[in-house]
Amino acid sequence: DSDTTPTDTSADALRTPIVAVLGHVDHGKTSLLDKIRGSAVIEGEAGAITQHIGATAVPLDVVSDMAGELVDPDDFDLPGLLFIDTPGHHSFTTLRSRGGALADIAVLVVDVNDGFQPQTLEAINILQNTQTPFIVAANKVDTVPGWNPNEDSPIKPSYDAQSDRVRGDVDDRLYSIIGELSDQGFSADMYWRVQDFQNNIGVVPVSAMTGEGVPDLLAVMMGLSQRYMKEEMAIDVDGPGVGTVLEVKEERGFGTTVDIVLYDGTIHEDDTIVVGGENKPIVTDVRALLQPRPLAEIRTESRFEQVDSVGAAAGIKVAAPDLDEAMAGAPIRVVGDRDLDAVIEEVRAELAEVAVDTEEDG
Ligand code: GDP
C-alpha cells in the first residue's frame, strides 16, 4: 500500500545542496521563495519541482530553464537546489544543528530601501558562526523610483537599461549594503564583479515581485555549490540516514510526528532511529514516512502519501511512537547496522551542542 521513492543505488552520489533563506522581517523572504517556486512551476515540466515536507526541490533542468543562458546544465553535476520553506527565525534555530549549519548555503535577503536591520545582523552572526557560505539578495529593486521593470529578466541587462539617474539611485543603495557587509568584516561587491565567491560576498539586486535578478540568484547559488561544495555533497546514499528535526507536529491518525530535513544517507520504514529529545535521546522505530500528496489528489485522500524510503537531501515527515518529547533543531539518526549505544551517544553529543548554541542566543 505504499510507493517507493526512487533513490540512486550507486553508493557515492552527489546530493542536492540545502538552501536557507534568511533576513529581517518583511524584507521579502517569503515572496522570494514564492517567486522561485512559482517560476519553477511555470518553466518546468509538470511535476518537475517536488514539494517536500518543509522544503521545495528545484531540479537542475528547471533551474537552468529559469536562469536561461546564465545556467548551462552541462556545466553542473549537482542535481539542483533544495530550498527550506520556512524562512526566518524558525530556521535560525534549526540552522545551527550539528553545531554547524543545516543549510549548505544561504540567501540573505536585504530590502534595498531598508538596509541592515536587527534580524539581518542576527542572521549574519549565525552565518558567520556556522561558516555558511551566503549571497545577498538586495531585494525590492523595483521600488527604486523610476525603475522600469523587465519581468523575470537577468538583472544586468535590466539594470543597464535603466536611466542614469535610476542606476545612480540603485548604486547608492547597493553600496550602502556593501558598506554594511564590510562593517561586519565581509568583503563584498556586486556579484558580476566577484571572481572568488569563497572570499567575497556577491550582492545580487533582485525583485521578488517582478522576478528580475532571480535567474542571477539561482545561477550564483548553483555555481557556488558546484565550485566549493562538491566534496561535501558526495554522500553514501545507501548509508544510514542523518537529519535535523524542523518541527514536531501532531497529525491525525499518526500521533506526534517529526518533520525532518535529511542531509545524509537514506531512511526506510521500520528503521530504528534515535531522535534528540527534551530529556534524553528517544529510540524508536519508523512507522511511516510521509510526503505531501500532489495537490490534485488531496480532495479525495489524505494530505500525505506513504513512501518506503527516502534518500538525502529531502524533507520528510516521520511518524513513529514516542516522539512527544522530540525537539525542533535536534538531530535524527538511523541506527542501521551500527551499535545502538554509539548512535545514542552521537545524538546526545550533538544535542549538547545545540543546547549550548540556544543558550548563547539568549
Ligand atoms: P518576509 O517577512 O521577509 O517573508 O517578507 P514578505 O515576503 O512577506 O514581504 C513583505 C512585503 O514586501 C510584502 O507585502 C511583499 O509583497 C513585499 N515585497 C516583497 N518583495 C518585494 C519586491 O521585490 N518588490 C516589492 N515591490 N515588494 C515586495
Side-chain angles (χ1 to χ4, degrees), residues 208-339:
M209 199 69 98
T210 69
E212 284 158 287
V214 171
D216 310 65
L217 206 57
L218 294 167
V220 175
M221 276 187 278
M222 272 319 290
L224 194 63
S225 310
Q226 176 80 23
R227 185 97 192 258
Y228 302 110
M229 260 167 282
K230 227 176 111 171
E231 260 172 48
E232 290 164 57
M233 296 303 107
I235 59 163
D236 173 9
V237 274
D238 298 328
V242 187
T244 297
V245 176
L246 285 182
E247 273 191 84
V248 183
K249 272 192 197 162
E250 199 69 32
E251 260 350 306
R252 200 152 52 93
F254 294 101
T256 305
T257 65
V258 287
D259 292 354
I260 69 164
V261 169
L262 195 75
Y263 57 80
D264 199 0
T266 294
I267 185 168
H268 305 83
E269 208 178 53
D270 296 330
D271 273 349
T272 299
I273 52 173
V274 181
V275 185
E278 278 161 34
N279 296 308
K280 57 180 192 303
I282 301 159
V283 179
T284 184
D285 291 334
V286 176
R287 182 148 69 92
L289 296 172
L290 303 167
Q291 282 183 341
R293 198 179 282 280
L295 271 179
E297 301 171 15
I298 287 180
R299 237 162 277 150
T300 50
E301 303 187 62
S302 133
R303 289 198 294 136
F304 303 112
E305 68 187 356
Q306 240 169 290
V307 294
D308 290 338
S309 68
V310 179
I316 188 85
K317 181 183 284 294
V318 179
D322 305 323
L323 288 176
D324 292 329
E325 294 196 343
M327 291 193 307
I332 173 167
R333 285 180 174 270
V334 170
V335 175
D337 51 17
R338 293 175 304 158
D339 175 40

Side-chain angles (χ1 to χ4, degrees), residues 21-34 87-88 109 111 113 119 138-144 206-212:
V21 178
L22 304 178
H24 194 72
V25 63
D26 280 347
H27 280 197
K29 300 176 293 293
T30 311
S31 306
L32 194 60
L33 275 164
D34 285 349
V109 180
D111 181 330
N113 300 303
Q119 288 162 352
N139 191 33
K140 306 196 190 184
V141 74
D142 64 292
T143 62
V144 173
V206 301
S207 165
M209 199 69 98
T210 69
E212 284 158 287

Side-chain angles (χ1 to χ4, degrees), residues 98-162:
R98 288 191 276 160
L102 166 61
D104 301 298
I105 174 172
V107 179
L108 179 64
V109 180
V110 183
D111 181 330
V112 283
N113 300 303
D114 220 12
F116 273 37
Q117 295 297 328
Q119 288 162 352
T120 319
L121 291 166
E122 211 176 313
I124 289 239
N125 276 331
I126 292 169
L127 294 170
Q128 216 157 16
N129 290 340
T130 55
Q131 297 188 359
T132 308
F134 67 98
I135 53 174
V136 170
N139 191 33
K140 306 196 190 184
V141 74
D142 64 292
T143 62
V144 173
W147 179 270
N148 245 326
N150 297 284
E151 294 272 324
D152 299 328
S153 158
I155 199 63
K156 198 56 176 40
S158 182
Y159 165 92
D160 287 342
Q162 306 298 321

